[in-house]
Amino acid sequence: MLIIHHPDELSDYLLRLKIQQKSIGFFPTMGALHAGHISLLHAAQKATDTSVCSIFVNPTQFNNPDDLAKYPRTLEADIALLEKEGCDVLFLPNAEELYANEKPMSLDFGGLATYFEGASRPGHFDGVARVVRLLFDYVNPDHAFFGLKDFQQCMIIRSMIEQLGLNLKLHFEPTLRESDGLAMSSRNIRLESALRNSAPVIYKALTFAQASFGSLPIHEIEAQAKSMIEREPNYKVDYFQLADARTLEPLNDEDKNAEPVALAAVFAGDVRLIDNLLMK
Ligand code: PAF
């Protein structure tokens, strides 16, 4: 696996491959890689000639400095895993060089960024869009891969690509789960054992919502799911809400044509976990 640090060096290298008609499959990450990330690599390997991973803990998408400081960093293990899985290129930029030639952009995500992570983490999606756009500029991928665990992020990136008119194919890959249902996440390694043992409650609440959808009123589903989660010691729900997956507007019982999805963000101690499930 080739490891490249400088953004210009990466784009020169990948441009040479493009000239040889090699397609590029890109999956951006913040490291602390797990099987969910590897499923993105495998999807990239299947669809393209060259798999490119980036690892960059992007400061502009953290509204909470403590969360940024505590974000897990496991670079050596990440490199070993990517090598073992046959990734072709790893991009490891630093913030100064990556942001050095940033061009201003003005995007409007409308309702997509209003609720959920948009409301709880002000500025988060602006930071995500800024960094993904920069990474896309340097990588110039033919295909890009994102995990559906970050459901709202997927919708934001799709909207960004449309607004900027970027010519690439976007792939959303299903959430991978531990055997007890907990969605795989880099943050899971921060859960101490009692909190980790309780963590499947989030998926249980989501599957409860799925099973009750259509038979209970939405506010009742949301209230019961919330109290299910908050029965676990040191668990606190930030939001547990149903939305229309296409607009990410909160759902009400009259919306018969919506594509319902339940979105959850939960504090397990000081570790914030997110998850989601389509209701149909
Ligand atoms: O999902 C993530 O890990 C990050 O938000 C991303 C897409 C790599 C941008 O920093």
Side-chain angles (χ1 to χ4, degrees), residues 82-120:
L82 291 169
E83 291 269 14
K84 174 171 153 276
E85 296 292 336
C87 184
D88 295 310
V89 180
L90 172 59
F91 180 37
L92 285 179
N94 70 42
E96 208 179 311
E97 287 169 350
L98 186 63
Y99 277 97
N101 296 312
E102 187 185 15
K103 295 180 219 91
M105 66 175 170
S106 130
L107 298 173
D108 182 2
F109 297 115
L112 287 180
T114 306
Y115 304 98
F116 312 110
E117 296 304 284
S120 292

Side-chain angles (χ1 to χ4, degrees), residues 1 5 44 48 80 93 95 105 117 130 132 142 151 159 171 173 213:
M1 179 173 70
H5 294 270
T48 66
M105 66 175 170
E117 296 304 284
R130 280 175 69 185
V132 172
D142 302 288
F151 194 89
S159 167
H171 301 248
E173 299 298 322
F213 187 78

Side-chain angles (χ1 to χ4, degrees), residues 91-259:
F91 180 37
L92 285 179
N94 70 42
E96 208 179 311
E97 287 169 350
L98 186 63
Y99 277 97
N101 296 312
E102 187 185 15
K103 295 180 219 91
M105 66 175 170
S106 130
L107 298 173
D108 182 2
F109 297 115
L112 287 180
T114 306
Y115 304 98
F116 312 110
E117 296 304 284
S120 292
R121 304 180 67 190
H124 170 65
F125 287 126
D126 292 334
V128 169
R130 280 175 69 185
V131 79
V132 172
R133 188 272 188 114
L134 279 168
L135 292 165
F136 281 173
D137 278 353
Y138 285 111
V139 177
N140 193 11
D142 302 288
H143 297 253
F145 301 81
F146 294 86
L148 275 169
K149 188 186 74 81
D150 297 306
F151 194 89
Q152 196 173 12
Q153 171 170 280
C154 287
M155 302 305 127
I156 293 285
I157 288 166
R158 182 161 68 194
S159 167
M160 181 186 88
I161 288 173
E162 279 165 15
Q163 291 183 58
L164 297 175
L166 302 182
N167 180 22
L168 63 93
K169 181 160 173 11
L170 200 49
H171 301 248
F172 297 144
E173 299 298 322
T175 303
L176 290 201
R177 299 184 180 280
E178 303 292 351
S179 55
D180 60 10
L182 174 65
M184 288 189 187
S185 163
S186 303
R187 293 172 199 267
N188 292 353
I189 50 182
R190 291 193 49 222
L191 294 170
E192 46 98 333
S193 75
L195 293 171
R196 172 65 191 84
N197 291 339
S198 305
V201 74
I202 302 169
Y203 185 56
K204 275 198 201 118
L206 288 166
T207 50
F208 157 77
Q210 191 184 51
S212 328
F213 187 78
S215 51
L216 286 179
I218 287 170
H219 71 90
E220 190 59 36
I221 296 176
E222 292 168 346
Q224 287 196 34
K226 189 170 175 231
S227 64
M228 199 186 264
I229 295 170
E230 292 191 340
R231 273 201 291 274
E232 297 297 332
N234 298 316
Y235 270 69
K236 179 105 192 68
V237 172
D238 181 359
Y239 57 78
F240 190 109
Q241 212 172 348
L242 274 68
D244 186 339
R246 294 162 306 183
T247 59
L248 293 183
E249 300 279 347
L251 197 65
N252 60 58
D253 292 306
E254 284 70 55
D255 293 335
K256 297 296 174 213
N257 298 319
E259 206 178 288

